[in-house]
């Protein structure tokens, strides 16, 4: 996060200096900006630095979206596993709480590795397994969209149970869609 702010502040500083110099050259400002920038090399360096940041056409730009379960809907395929499903993801993704609830288990299981189970306020119990990291402790409350873990590319185990019945894949997708719709 700090790097993003540092980058933004640097861009704004360079752009501001370039603007003030242009206004000085046009006679709009009397501020001697060129005297503040000690050498022409400083000015050239700042100008080239600013232009290199602004003229990056081929560089990929990371775009973030609102937090929530929407990314979980982008699985490549699914297969039945134990009481849930193994969902395949081509990229890593953060895992967020679908609703308000209570973390009832965090730990390592034989079949699903690093696993977190949350009982949500509506009575739904969701187990997220094969996580790469866990972000919540057991017996803590979570709010909708709180980060609960991270998953690198690969398989994520997801099991949803309500009223002692495990959801099938279609019901899991519907649940994910409904928790995504609740964000808006």
């Amino acid at each position: 996060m700090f790097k993003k702010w540092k980058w933004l502040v640097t861009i704004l500083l360079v752009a501001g200096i370039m603007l003030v110099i242009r206004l000085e050259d046009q006679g709009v400002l009397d501020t001697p900006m060129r005297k503040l920038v000690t050498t022409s090399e400083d000015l050239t360096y700042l100008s080239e630095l600013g232009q290199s940041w602004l003229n990056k056409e081929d560089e990929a730009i990371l775009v973030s979206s609102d937090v929530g379960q929407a990314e979980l809907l982008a699985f490549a395929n699914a297969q039945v596993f134990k009481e849930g499903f193994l969902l395949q993801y081509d990229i890593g993704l953060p895992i967020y709480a679908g609703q308000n609830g209570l973390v009832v288990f965090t730990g390592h299981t034989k079949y699903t590795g690093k696993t977190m189970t949350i009982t949500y306020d509506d009575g739904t119990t969701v187990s997220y397994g094969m996580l790469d990291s866990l972000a919540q402790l057991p017996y803590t409350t979570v709010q909708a969209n709180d980060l609960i873990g991270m998953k690198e590319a690969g398989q994520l185990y997801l099991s949803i149970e309500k009223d002692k019945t495990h959801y099938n894949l279609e019901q899991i997708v519907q649940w994910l869609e409904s928790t995504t719709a609740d964000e808006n």
Side-chain angles (χ1 to χ4, degrees), residues 28 40 42 45 49 54 57 62 72 84-86 95 101 111-112 118 124 132 139 143 149 154 161 168 177-178 180:
V28 176
S40 62
D42 292 343
Y45 171 74
L49 183 62
L54 298 174
E57 295 176 15
L62 177 63
L72 288 178
F85 291 86
L86 294 176
I95 308 296
Y111 297 107
T112 60
I118 301 173
T124 304
D132 292 295
Y139 308 109
Q143 302 298 311
E161 179 184 357
N168 62 33
E177 288 172 342
S178 73
T180 300

Side-chain angles (χ1 to χ4, degrees), residues 19-39:
L19 175 65
V20 170
I21 288 173
R22 275 212 178 150
L23 293 175
E24 180 185 351
D25 288 344
Q26 294 174 357
V28 176
L29 291 177
D30 295 327
T31 305
M33 179 54 78
R34 284 195 168 85
K35 289 183 182 178
L36 296 175
V37 178
T38 57
T39 67

Side-chain angles (χ1 to χ4, degrees), residues 9-182:
V9 168
T10 304
I11 287 177
L12 291 175
L13 179 64
V14 170
I17 290 171
M18 290 170 54
L19 175 65
V20 170
I21 288 173
R22 275 212 178 150
L23 293 175
E24 180 185 351
D25 288 344
Q26 294 174 357
V28 176
L29 291 177
D30 295 327
T31 305
M33 179 54 78
R34 284 195 168 85
K35 289 183 182 178
L36 296 175
V37 178
T38 57
T39 67
S40 62
E41 287 179 59
D42 292 343
L43 183 60
T44 302
Y45 171 74
L46 289 173
S47 176
E48 289 173 354
L49 183 62
Q51 289 176 9
S52 71
W53 287 339
L54 298 174
N55 295 330
K56 291 188 177 182
E57 295 176 15
D58 296 331
E59 185 175 313
I61 298 173
L62 177 63
V63 178
S64 64
S65 62
D66 293 334
V67 298
Q69 302 290 95
E71 292 174 320
L72 288 178
L73 289 166
F75 56 90
N77 63 49
Q79 62 185 29
V80 176
F81 185 77
K82 301 292 178 189
E83 294 86 20
F85 291 86
L86 294 176
L87 306 178
Q88 178 70 36
Y89 294 93
D90 296 331
I91 60 169
L93 62 148
I95 308 296
Y96 298 100
Q99 304 170 19
N100 299 341
L102 176 69
V103 177
V104 295
F105 175 79
T106 59
H108 192 275
T109 71
K110 181 178 179 178
Y111 297 107
T112 60
K114 285 184 186 175
T115 302
M116 181 175 295
T117 302
I118 301 173
T119 298
Y120 290 114
D121 290 349
D122 70 351
T124 304
T125 300
V126 181
S127 290
Y128 305 87
M130 299 182 176
L131 295 169
D132 292 295
S133 66
L134 303 171
Q136 300 292 329
L137 295 172
Y139 308 109
T140 57
T141 59
V142 291
Q143 302 298 311
N145 299 324
D146 282 354
L147 180 68
I148 59 171
M150 296 295 293
K151 178 64 191 149
E152 298 300 321
Q155 292 182 321
L156 170 73
Y157 173 75
L158 189 61
S159 172
I160 302 178
E161 179 184 357
K162 188 170 185 176
D163 300 326
K164 298 183 182 186
T165 303
H166 288 277
Y167 283 19
N168 62 33
L169 185 58
E170 183 179 332
Q171 291 169 313
I172 287 175
V173 168
Q174 288 172 352
W175 183 84
L176 291 171
E177 288 172 342
S178 73
T179 57
T180 300
D182 291 343

